[in-house]
Amino acid sequence: MTNIALAATVTTGEAVTFWILAPLALLGAIGMVVARNAVHSALWLVLTMLCLGVFYVVQAGPFIGMVQIIVYTGAIMMLFLFVLMLVGRDASDSLIETLRGQRVAAVLVGLGFAGLVGTLVARAVGDTTAVGLEAANQNGNVQGIAALLFTNYVFAFEATSALLITAAVGAMVLAHIHKPKSERLGQPETMRLRFRPGNYPAPKPGPGVYATSDSVATPGRLPDGTLTQRSVPEILPTRELSPRETAPKGTEK
Amino acid sequence: MTIKFPDIDYAAIAPLLIMFGVAALGVLVEAFVPKRARHLTQLVLALAGLVAALVVLVTQAETRVVTAGGAIAVDGPALFLQGSIIVLAIMAVLLIGERSLEKGGPFVAQAAITVGSEDDRRQAARADGATEVYPLATFAIFGMMLFVSANDLLTMFIALEVLSLPLYLMCALARRRRLVSQEAALKYFMLGAYASAFFLFGVALVYGFTASVQAAPGRMAGGVDFATIHAAATQSPANRALLFGGLAMIAIGLLFKAAAAPFHVWTPDVYQGAPTAVTGFMAACTKVAAFGALLRVLYVAFDGARWDFTPVLGAIAILTMLVGAVLSVTQTDLKRLLAYSSIANAGYLLVGVLAGVREGISSTMFYLVAYGFTVIAAFAVVTLVRDADGEATHLSRWAGLGRRSPVFAGVFTFILLAFAGIPLTSGFISKFAVFGAALDGGQTWLVIAGVITSMVLAFPYLRVVVMMWLSEPGESTPTIAVPGALTAAALVIGVAATLVLGVAPAPLLNLSDTAGQFIR
């Protein structure tokens, strides 16, 4: 593992990578905050995280870089996207401010804070040469992290188990609804409910596919020719078609 | 490459391990003990664990050791603060376990049931409260005890999360006014995560500052343990802006938990929304943990930058005292009033922290214990004043309580006088101690601000006293419920401690004085 970039100086390749990816990372971060749709926000964040992962690898931290990409971007963000999709696509932020002028103030203060931290770090490390990288990666990057985890930070490492247990218990407490056995429905009751008057026991019809429209929002036709709203998924907003959309498209001849 | 596992002094960290074991056992109890027996099992388990940890802690009273690879420091302040966390947590667990005031206890049975639904009304009326709060509370206690003895910033960060996560959850579990409770939990969680991020950013900056500095010959260069940071504060060739930036952000993370202005905005909402037993737990134990960690960070790690951080933190202390005192005058809800009072008390505690002398450490520790006893007793009384909708916390509802139930109104009056710092209560002695230490340390400006705000802060307390005694009870004046054995025990301990520490404070003052020496 001695082929990890050991020198403290910045090579051309590193500089080029940085100047390509840094604006992208910034763009992703800004996009995440600005995007109205939660799914778009999450995707912007993925971009930033991927760029950061590459930065870590370039800066001789391959382990943390890979963890960033595999665990954060790969697992956690995808899980996040799954949740967003499950919750529903109309979960976009409302733009009504509960506190007047909050957004402007937040932008100003945020810019001020970024400027403060940016200049602080720039002034502090601008003319400093990095030290300690060779010593840290002496026996290999992963081995170095393992050595720290199982010596100096072994108690902290073990204490994280408390965090994991708490998280599991918390998820149970906040999300699980226990139904007593008496409230669970058996097979006969389920069947009776299914065939009770007023319920539609068969699978729902598929959406209509026509020459003029193949949208899932278009109702399908029943065998007798009537349209059925049953084929339109409930989460779709009802939408009035504009005159242009309902006008003949010249395909009827 | 060989890795040598660090020596761990298991006897010294036994109280921590006991609390962790009890919490893990509590989770198993949830899984395997039948529902009917769970509450009693959990309560007995938690109390037994706390008492066992306290006993073991007392046997370790003379231990002064840095162990587990330098991650944990078991020294005077750590032992004293761990002991106070355990004692205050016993009182809080007593309040949490109370089930005679309300059928099923103060916690919701199933937090996932939609608020206001038919199922929700049914469970509010008769279902037994969730018993998961006990393992959560013990995990939080474990985190707090680790927090005050952590000897490097990463362990401290993990401890911060271990103590915060269960608190966020417990805030969301109130049986009554569940939407307010859930809002409080979400608010606490969001802002807490934000503050943790600041803490972590600060750790990174400080790590950059310590690079190439060895705490002792032969040690690894760089690191976030307090000995290395202490060495770096005097020797590091790096730009000191990194040190100051790092310290500022770490302080933000810690002051957030301590509820100091301007990082206090979560406090009133969370104190109001959380179940009152949990609020008492937070007000007493979290405060001990946060100030214990702050003391250690400032006295052990950043001692070399004392002249640089004292003016900044002093300004925060004054702002905290002012915000707490002035805003508590305008409050109309008793839980919010106590929240603002806890903010003001964070300011007085900061005065003790900034004294910069050994008396500063010991007086702050004394203040933490005295305040903890009083504030849990205060919240215990709040759980007793009820009407059909649960606790009646609006101030106007308390008018005339003195006529209706002189005993409890008298007890609450005594507690309020202790908050106001009237002589013969622990509040007077503790304020006297921190102000005296600050004068010794040459921080007269803080003492002046402290005395002035104390006078302002006495007004809201006395207003409540006047309302209770001099108003006629009206139609809507709530009844004072007869406390169950558990609440009564917590209340008696709290009031007795407030009185004893006010009349004969010498033993605890001596104890905190002998314990007031950090090791590095």
Side-chain angles (χ1 to χ4, degrees):
Chain A
M1 290 291 283
T2 45
N3 57 351
I4 291 174
L6 290 178
T9 51
V10 178
T11 60
T12 320
E14 196 179 335
V16 170
T17 317
F18 177 80
W19 287 113
I20 293 175
L21 290 187
L24 281 180
L26 214 56
L27 179 74
I30 294 172
M32 186 221 157
V33 178
V34 173
R36 294 268 293 279
N37 189 314
V39 176
H40 296 169
S41 266
L43 290 174
W44 281 118
L45 188 59
V46 168
L47 174 66
T48 302
M49 286 182 159
L50 282 175
C51 294
L52 288 182
V54 177
F55 285 159
Y56 296 151
V57 175
V58 168
Q59 290 180 343
F63 179 75
I64 187 76
M66 286 304 153
V67 167
Q68 169 86 14
I69 291 174
I70 296 169
V71 179
Y72 274 166
T73 322
I76 297 178
M77 279 316 292
M78 290 311 122
L79 203 66
F80 206 79
L81 278 176
F82 267 75
V83 172
L84 284 178
M85 303 283 193
L86 284 176
V87 167
R89 55 172 271 295
D90 56 335
S92 55
D93 287 343
S94 91
L95 283 177
I96 301 164
E97 288 183 294
T98 40
L99 303 174
R100 188 191 295 259
Q102 183 192 24
R103 199 171 299 124
V104 177
V107 167
L108 287 180
V109 174
L111 282 178
F113 183 71
L116 197 67
V117 174
T119 48
L120 184 143
V121 175
R123 275 184 55 184
V125 301
D127 51 354
T128 319
T129 44
V131 292
L133 196 55
E134 290 180 41
N137 279 335
Q138 200 175 18
N139 297 307
N141 185 262
V142 179
Q143 287 86 340
I145 290 174
L148 272 181
L149 266 190
F150 290 103
T151 56
N152 287 3
Y153 298 112
V154 68
F155 198 86
F157 182 65
E158 297 293 338
T160 47
S161 63
L163 276 181
L164 295 178
I165 301 174
T166 309
V169 172
M172 288 283 290
V173 169
L174 290 187
H176 175 68
I177 295 184
H178 175 77
K179 283 228 157 125
K181 271 214 178 90
S182 55
E183 283 180 24
R184 263 180 240 157
L185 292 179
Q187 201 267 343
E189 286 84 22
T190 320
M191 279 301 122
R192 262 179 223 122
L193 277 180
R194 183 174 166 196
F195 289 103
R196 75 169 192 271
N199 198 41
Y200 186 79
K204 290 179 176 171
V209 178
Y210 308 104
T212 50
S213 164
D214 57 357
S215 155
V216 285
T218 319
R221 258 183 221 285
L222 294 177
D224 62 354
T226 52
L227 293 173
T228 173
Q229 284 297 323
R230 228 188 275 282
S231 71
V232 181
E234 277 166 19
I235 72 161
L236 286 181
T238 42
R239 183 167 79 104
E240 291 292 325
L241 292 179
S242 64
R244 207 173 133 261
E245 282 168 315
T246 50
K249 307 244 180 341
T251 55
E252 298 89 342
K253 280 174 211 153
Chain B
M1 169 180 189
T2 54
I3 297 176
K4 190 179 167 300
F5 194 73
D7 293 324
I8 297 181
D9 186 345
Y10 285 103
I13 61 168
L16 283 170
L17 298 179
I18 290 174
M19 283 329 291
F20 184 84
V22 166
L25 264 182
V27 176
L28 289 181
V29 167
E30 282 303 312
F32 292 112
V33 173
K35 194 152 200 181
R36 192 165 304 189
R38 245 182 249 168
H39 176 250
L40 190 65
T41 319
Q42 292 280 26
L43 181 63
V44 171
L45 181 67
L47 286 177
L50 283 165
V51 170
L54 188 63
V55 169
V56 174
L57 193 81
V58 170
T59 64
Q60 295 292 321
E62 299 304 317
T63 309
R64 301 287 183 270
V65 65
V66 174
T67 184
I72 297 179
V74 181
D75 52 13
L79 289 168
F80 184 92
L81 293 168
Q82 284 184 347
S84 14
I85 289 171
I86 293 175
V87 172
L88 295 173
I90 289 177
M91 293 171 63
V93 168
L94 288 175
L95 282 188
I96 288 173
E98 178 64 68
R99 283 206 165 171
S100 67
L101 290 174
E102 184 164 23
K103 192 161 171 34
F107 294 96
V108 68
Q110 299 192 44
I113 291 179
T114 314
V115 178
S117 63
E118 184 59 39
D119 284 346
D120 186 37
R121 276 192 289 279
R122 210 177 309 141
Q123 72 165 353
R126 52 169 191 267
D128 281 344
T131 42
E132 282 90 351
V133 286
Y134 293 100
L136 290 177
T138 23
F139 270 127
I141 297 164
F142 164 71
M144 290 166 184
M145 288 166 63
L146 181 60
F147 200 44
V148 295
S149 64
N151 196 39
D152 67 60
L153 289 174
L154 274 183
T155 310
M156 191 171 262
F157 175 71
I158 304 275
L160 175 67
E161 293 302 304
V162 172
L163 83 88
S164 305
L165 230 54
L167 286 180
Y168 303 148
L169 287 164
M170 286 158 76
C171 283
L173 298 181
R175 174 178 288 259
R176 311 282 187 148
R177 303 189 186 92
R178 285 183 53 206
L179 280 180
V180 183
S181 160
Q182 289 173 359
E183 185 196 332
L186 191 67
K187 203 172 264 183
Y188 196 18
F189 174 61
M190 291 292 182
L191 294 175
Y194 203 52
S196 298
F198 271 103
F199 187 92
L200 212 50
F201 204 162
V203 174
L205 291 183
V206 170
Y207 179 63
F209 181 72
T210 61
S212 81
V213 175
Q214 290 171 312
R219 290 270 297 266
M220 204 174 51
V224 288
D225 60 300
F226 293 160
T228 308
I229 297 172
H230 175 71
T234 47
Q235 302 165 19
S236 176
N239 191 321
R240 280 177 85 77
L242 278 181
L243 177 73
F244 298 146
L247 175 58
M249 291 193 187
I250 290 169
I252 289 177
L254 294 176
L255 291 174
F256 172 84
K257 275 281 164 247
F263 318 109
H264 68 284
V265 279
W266 58 275
T267 319
D269 292 346
V270 173
Y271 276 30
Q272 188 186 20
T276 306
V278 175
T279 313
F281 181 50
M282 285 195 291
C285 298
T286 311
K287 206 138 251 176
V288 177
F291 275 97
L294 195 65
L295 275 176
R296 188 175 292 280
V297 165
L298 295 184
Y299 277 77
V300 180
F302 294 95
D303 202 30
R306 173 168 305 281
W307 289 106
D308 303 299
F309 71 65
T310 303
V312 180
L313 289 183
I316 287 182
I318 291 180
L319 185 66
T320 308
M321 292 186 280
L322 274 179
V323 165
V326 172
L327 289 186
S328 61
V329 174
T330 63
Q331 296 309 309
T332 53
D333 184 285
L334 206 76
K335 278 170 97 176
R336 289 182 84 85
L337 173 69
L338 289 174
Y340 278 105
S341 129
S342 103
I343 293 169
N345 278 290
Y348 302 132
L349 282 159
L350 263 181
V351 172
V353 171
L354 293 175
V357 288
R358 185 176 160 161
E359 287 75 36
I361 304 174
S362 51
S363 65
T364 309
M365 295 198 302
F366 180 86
Y367 197 119
L368 284 168
V369 176
Y371 175 72
F373 277 123
T374 317
V375 81
I376 292 190
F379 281 111
V381 176
V382 173
T383 62
L384 296 179
V385 180
R386 330 178 57 93
D387 57 14
D389 292 333
E391 291 158 9
T393 54
H394 199 274
L395 264 187
S396 61
R397 308 289 306 277
W398 285 59
L401 270 187
R403 307 284 173 87
R404 188 150 295 184
S405 177
V407 177
F408 286 102
V411 166
F412 199 62
T413 306
F414 176 68
I415 291 168
L416 289 176
L417 292 180
F419 279 139
I422 306 294
L424 292 184
T425 63
S426 62
F428 173 74
I429 305 287
S430 42
K431 278 213 180 80
F432 191 78
V434 287
F435 290 162
L439 283 180
D440 282 351
Q443 307 294 338
T444 319
W445 61 304
L446 295 179
V447 177
I448 294 172
V451 171
I452 293 173
T453 53
S454 298
M455 289 190 283
V456 177
L457 195 58
F459 173 72
Y461 299 138
L462 295 180
R463 192 177 53 154
V464 178
V465 172
V466 168
M467 272 179 96
M468 283 199 303
W469 291 104
L470 298 184
S471 312
E472 290 293 328
E475 289 277 307
S476 68
T477 305
T479 53
I480 293 196
V482 179
L486 298 176
T487 307
L491 191 56
V492 167
I493 297 175
V495 173
T498 307
L499 182 66
V500 168
L501 292 181
V503 178
L508 190 67
L509 276 177
N510 289 339
L511 184 64
S512 65
D513 193 46
T514 43
Q517 187 72 47
F518 284 107
I519 59 171
R520 195 166 274 133

